[in-house]
Amino acid sequence: MRVIEDEDALLPPSNKGPYKFDYNQLSDEERKHYDLLSPEEKTQYQDAEKTIFDHMNSPAVESKLQSEIGQAVHEVNLETPRDPAIPEKIKEGLFAMGETDPQDTGEDGDFEGNDITSTAHGELEQHREMREYARIAAWEMPMLSKLAKPFVLPGADKPLRFRYTTYMGETHPAEKKVVLEFCTRDLPDLTEAQRNKLIKIVGVRYNPETDLVKMSCEMFETQAQNKRYLGDLVDTLMAEARDPTDMFEDVPFDFRHHRYKPKMQFPEQWKVTEGRKAQLQATWRRRALADKEREQQGTLVDGVEVIEKMLENVIAQEAAPRAAVKGPAAKARPKRLPR
């Protein structure tokens, strides 16, 4: 193994010129993904590549890379076999402390004890994962903030709504699924007859209450392919709805697939009106006057007092049988005979 002397030889060639997107430098997989993108998404892809290029060519990043490469070169040089003609200095081990000639003892031997438990390995793996996310938050998240855009409500020229599913970096079979929703009245250049034909074509995917058509696709491996398929499917439906050859006028609407949920409404006769409020207040005042008259006459029943008397009677009735059973049992107890 040779000793590395020139650290600059390990650095990639620096490109100080302005960024220029080159389609030929993409890999085969990246080209397939790039060809599936729309013109707007291609522009966003090139802007993201330019942001990464500017970040990697900044002086701070280059200085960081040079320092890490220098450290790696130093570690490689330490592992390189030394010249046999040059005597190697023996390191003093822990067990050589206090000896007259520590060089005679040499280094400590390799640790041959048991390894840590599987639980401890799990804790270390969790710690490594947290450090990885900390590095992402420190180095990659600030770059994403430059691509943030304020939310703008979609206009009438964008009637399609796509919904995606993500599992935050984890691989899942349902991640490739894309769901499309659109309102039939928002589609441009459709007459009422053409809209009715479109509703009959989509069938059970139409919701008559909300006037929404919902469909999904997960046949392909990527979300971009499934989205493109749904977009082409909508174009095909629009072309078929505008075809005047057969407008399906003899086909009736069939909404048996949709279950109408009953919407409960509060009865009008149960609502408290001003007249009902006045009637209730008059009734309450009349009852209060009647209770006051009974209290003056001494005929008002006190519920608390009635409950206390009832509890006293119950306790007395339970104590009487116990006393009756205890007396005869004590008299009938046999005497112990002398031994």
Side-chain angles (χ1 to χ4, degrees):
M1 182 182 293
R2 66 182 182 88
V3 178
I4 301 176
E5 297 179 355
D6 188 6
E7 301 176 3
D8 296 335
L10 300 176
L11 291 173
S14 178
N15 187 5
K16 298 296 183 181
Y19 173 78
K20 184 177 180 181
F21 179 75
D22 190 0
Y23 178 79
N24 297 325
Q25 293 183 356
L26 299 177
S27 62
D28 295 339
E29 185 176 355
E30 291 175 346
R31 290 178 185 176
K32 293 179 182 179
H33 177 71
Y34 184 80
D35 294 337
L36 294 173
L37 300 178
S38 63
E40 182 179 356
E41 293 175 341
K42 289 181 178 179
T43 304
Q44 296 178 359
Y45 181 85
Q46 295 178 8
D47 294 341
E49 290 288 332
K50 183 178 183 302
T51 303
I52 296 175
F53 177 85
D54 296 338
H55 175 73
M56 295 303 296
N57 285 276
S58 61
V61 175
E62 289 185 353
S63 176
K64 181 70 174 179
L65 290 176
Q66 289 179 359
S67 63
E68 292 182 357
I69 292 176
Q71 180 67 20
V73 169
H74 177 67
E75 294 177 358
V76 170
N77 290 335
L78 292 178
E79 297 175 358
T80 304
R82 298 178 60 86
D83 189 356
I86 302 176
E88 183 179 359
K89 183 180 178 181
I90 302 176
K91 297 182 181 180
E92 299 179 3
L94 177 64
F95 296 101
M97 295 179 60
E99 297 291 337
T100 306
D101 191 2
Q103 295 293 333
D104 297 339
T105 308
E107 295 186 36
D108 298 335
D110 295 334
F111 176 71
E112 298 179 357
N114 295 331
D115 198 0
I116 59 177
T117 62
S118 58
T119 305
H121 276 293
E123 293 290 338
L124 288 177
E125 185 65 26
Q126 185 179 6
H127 183 70
R128 295 189 190 100
E129 185 177 359
M130 293 175 63
R131 288 175 65 89
E132 180 183 359
Y133 282 113
R135 286 191 294 269
I136 293 175
W139 295 98
E140 299 183 14
M141 291 299 180
M143 298 174 57
L144 296 178
S145 62
K146 299 178 182 178
L147 303 177
K149 297 180 181 179
F151 175 73
V152 180
L153 289 174
D157 57 337
K158 298 180 180 179
L160 304 182
R161 302 289 182 270
F162 293 94
R163 189 176 76 241
Y164 310 92
T165 303
T166 179
Y167 291 87
M168 303 301 293
E170 297 183 5
T171 304
H172 196 277
E175 190 175 10
K176 59 184 179 181
K177 183 178 180 180
V178 179
V179 181
L180 169 64
E181 289 185 354
F182 63 88
C183 181
T184 59
R185 298 187 183 276
D186 294 341
L187 297 178
D189 303 332
L190 279 184
T191 62
E192 188 64 24
Q194 294 173 351
R195 191 180 74 86
N196 294 336
K197 181 180 178 180
L198 177 64
I199 293 174
K200 296 174 183 178
I201 292 175
V202 297
V204 297
R205 296 173 179 85
Y206 177 72
N207 188 341
E209 285 191 273
T210 59
D211 192 32
L212 289 177
V213 177
K214 181 178 179 181
M215 57 184 67
S216 62
C217 178
E218 52 182 340
M219 295 188 301
F220 305 99
E221 294 298 327
T222 61
Q223 291 182 349
Q225 292 175 317
N226 292 319
K227 179 181 179 182
R228 176 60 60 86
Y229 174 80
L230 291 175
D232 296 341
L233 183 60
V234 172
D235 294 339
T236 305
L237 290 174
M238 295 277 290
E240 187 66 27
R242 295 192 180 101
D243 186 9
T245 305
D246 187 4
M247 298 302 294
F248 295 174
E249 296 178 351
D250 55 336
V251 178
F253 289 107
D254 187 4
F255 298 145
R256 290 177 295 176
H257 61 276
H258 181 72
R259 295 182 179 180
Y260 292 88
K261 297 181 180 179
K263 298 181 180 179
M264 303 300 179
Q265 296 183 356
F266 197 79
E268 292 291 337
Q269 58 272 20
W270 290 7
K271 296 181 179 180
V272 180
T273 60
E274 296 296 332
R276 180 59 177 167
K277 288 181 180 179
Q279 181 181 1
L280 291 174
Q281 291 177 359
T283 303
W284 296 336
R285 286 195 296 269
R286 186 167 58 254
R287 291 179 179 176
L289 293 175
D291 291 343
K292 191 173 182 180
E293 293 179 357
R294 292 193 190 96
E295 185 178 1
Q296 293 176 356
Q297 298 174 0
T299 58
L300 184 63
V301 178
D302 189 356
V304 177
E305 184 179 355
V306 171
I307 294 174
E308 290 179 352
K309 291 182 178 179
M310 183 188 66
L311 292 176
E312 291 177 358
N313 295 335
V314 171
I315 293 173
Q317 291 176 2
E318 291 179 354
R322 293 177 183 175
V325 172
K326 185 176 181 181
K331 295 180 181 179
R333 182 180 301 173
K335 295 182 179 180
R336 181 177 293 179
L337 300 175
R339 293 182 181 178

